Amino acid sequence: ESREWPESGRPRRAGVSSFGISGTNAHVILEQSSVEPAAEGPGLDVVPWVLSGRSEAAVRDQARRLAQLADMPNPTDVAFSLATARAALDRRVAVVGRGRNELLRGLNAVAAGEVPAELAAESGDVVFVFP
């Protein structure tokens, strides 16, 4: 059960032991960090926006609508929503960028037809690769 672990003016340390039934023994010493980590979200440098549609024209329309957002929300949130909340349809393209300008440049290229929406791979036989 949990109990209080009072401050003592020095880093707190604990030893954790594990004795496995098969004879495996492990011991680790944990020590309190000297600096509290900064509370910040994941630092993604590059964000992928996955677009999909039933046709290439539908993907271009989706890119056009996304590019018209006046106040672009958090790019990471948009990437998560596009990847998890939308259907993965036949034609797909990914726009990858760091921040608003690069993402808009990619969306505009898709909307203009400069980047084709490729036909998604169909399922096939299982392949094993041994490097």
Side-chain angles (χ1 to χ4, degrees), residues 14-75:
V16 180
S17 297
S18 174
F19 304 104
I21 195 164
S22 66
T24 303
N25 298 329
H27 184 77
V28 71
I29 298 172
L30 304 173
E31 182 175 313
Q32 176 182 0
S33 172
S34 60
V35 178
E36 292 294 322
E40 62 181 67
L44 297 177
D45 290 338
V46 177
V47 179
W49 283 10
V50 180
L51 290 74
S52 72
R54 296 198 193 291
S55 67
E56 191 166 341
V59 175
R60 285 197 305 269
D61 287 341
Q62 184 183 19
R64 198 171 294 114
R65 286 190 308 272
L66 282 170
Q68 290 175 350
L69 292 174
D71 295 323
M72 183 180 289
N74 183 339

